[in-house]
Amino acid sequence: MADATSESVPAARKPLVGLALGGGSARGWAHIGVIRALGAAGVRPDLVCGTSIGALVGAAWAAGELERFAAWVLAMRVKDVVSFVDLGLSGGFLKGERLMDFVRRSFVDRPIEDLPVPFAAVATALQSGAEVWLRSGSTVDAVRASIALPALFTPVVRDRVMLVDGGLVNPVPVSLARAMGAELVIAVDLSSDLLGRHLRPDAKPSAASSPVGDWLRKLQESLGIDSPAGPVKPRVPSMLDVVASSLNVMQVRIARSRLAGDPADALIAPRLAHLGLLDFHRGEEAIEEGSRAVESALPNLRALGLAGRGLVPEDVPAG
């Protein structure tokens, strides 16, 4: 009779870990720092999903292209951001095609089903307001739909449905990560410190207080769509300020509501209110803040048994 103590004990099954990357325009480069810092702590998610800029960074990681993508982000300058501006007054101020054409030329556009890591993006059906989960087909097309920020980027038509930014319905897609099979969800919220930081009487323009914003503000004035401010009148916010602040309010309120109903197991919240809507050239600052936010979240990650453990098969890229 075999000694019971000599029998092998099955190893505990590792929980399926999902990473939900929130939207936030230029603040989204912080996701790069988050993913890098999680990897350094031994946390390797099994799947990733994202909203808006979170979909873009999440797709780069899922494709094993994160470091090459990060190199492109860190090399970005103001002139590069301006070069991606393709004006269009129907559907959105910026068409967004130049940016996505660059992504297509620079990175392989594989079907979502063929990515090494399971991936999905969130978009919003403009006509019905329904939340749309993009889990198949062109990765770049899914990202393009997810980042179609209203009033800035033109909508995307897919299967006869007009799609816009997923942040309108699910800014931090914890629910999608769970639907993909995640048992533990690490979520990244880019908007936790935004409210109260914009359009203060004593503050500089928040969204447009950058060279890119200055360029767009001058363009608005030349088109006659910026409100004049006389010498005795208070400063009238630029169109970009108003759009950015309105989107911030919407995103914060929706994110808080969704996270209250379906909370993440671990929430990472970089402090990024100092970055404007179009400050894509400030990638280094955002990435560093993403790394710092993970350091703050490490006690919770350790309590969940995540930090210090590899959670993904060898064939899945670490970034």
Side-chain angles (χ1 to χ4, degrees):
M1 185 174 182
D3 187 351
T5 60
S6 66
E7 295 181 6
S8 60
V9 177
R13 186 180 67 84
K14 296 176 181 177
L16 200 68
V17 178
L19 180 62
L21 303 178
S25 194
R27 297 187 296 274
W29 297 153
H31 290 314
I32 298 173
V34 168
I35 294 171
R36 284 175 168 176
L38 287 175
V43 182
R44 299 285 193 273
D46 298 281
L47 57 91
V48 62
C49 60
T51 294
S52 195
I53 195 71
L56 178 58
V57 178
W61 180 75
E65 296 273 10
L66 185 67
E67 288 310 313
R68 195 156 71 91
F69 184 80
W72 171 67
V73 169
L74 290 170
M76 193 178 296
R77 299 295 178 261
V78 172
K79 64 181 180 63
D80 300 310
V81 180
V82 172
S83 73
F84 291 133
V85 173
D86 43 351
L87 296 179
L89 296 181
S90 62
F93 193 54
L94 311 177
K95 295 179 184 177
E97 300 308 323
R98 290 184 183 175
L99 172 61
M100 299 316 295
D101 286 345
F102 175 85
V103 172
R104 284 188 178 92
R105 291 195 306 270
S106 304
F107 303 95
V108 177
D109 181 17
R110 282 184 278 180
I112 292 175
E113 305 93 316
D114 294 342
L115 294 176
V117 177
F119 166 77
V122 180
T124 304
L126 187 59
Q127 294 97 327
S128 66
E131 181 175 342
V132 178
W133 293 345
L134 304 172
R135 303 179 63 175
S136 63
S138 164
T139 300
V140 171
D141 288 349
V143 169
R144 173 66 182 86
S146 188
I147 69 170
L149 200 63
L152 285 181
F153 290 98
T154 53
V156 171
V157 178
R158 174 168 167 153
D159 298 329
R160 298 183 180 181
V161 178
M162 192 171 295
L163 300 177
V164 293
D165 196 295
L168 292 176
V169 290
N170 200 350
V172 187
V174 173
S175 58
L176 175 53
R178 296 201 190 282
M180 294 171 70
E183 296 163 289
L184 292 177
V185 177
I186 302 169
V188 185
D189 181 6
L190 302 177
S191 60
S192 63
D193 66 332
L194 290 183
L195 290 189
R197 298 291 296 273
H198 294 91
L199 299 186
R200 295 176 301 174
D202 61 339
K204 295 181 180 180
S206 57
S209 58
S210 70
V212 178
D214 292 341
W215 180 83
L216 285 173
R217 190 162 53 248
K218 290 176 182 177
L219 178 62
Q220 290 175 212
E221 293 170 355
S222 70
L223 293 174
I225 56 177
D226 206 6
S227 302
V232 296
K233 295 180 181 179
R235 185 186 70 82
V236 177
S238 72
M239 182 180 71
L240 191 60
D241 273 325
V242 173
V243 169
S245 295
S246 299
L247 292 171
N248 287 340
V249 170
M250 175 198 72
Q251 188 167 19
V252 170
R253 294 303 185 189
I254 296 173
R256 288 180 181 177
S257 177
R258 295 294 300 256
L259 289 171
D262 190 3
D265 298 283
L267 185 65
I268 297 171
R271 303 191 66 79
L272 299 160
H274 61 288
L275 294 183
L277 187 72
L278 298 178
D279 282 345
F280 292 103
H281 58 291
R282 298 172 67 181
E284 185 174 0
E285 296 174 56
I287 291 171
E288 289 177 355
E289 178 55 32
S291 297
R292 282 193 291 269
V294 171
E295 292 177 9
S296 299
L298 279 178
N300 189 29
L301 292 172
R302 292 193 183 103
L304 291 169
L306 296 180
R309 289 170 48 187
L311 297 173
V312 71
E314 293 180 358
D315 59 337
V316 176

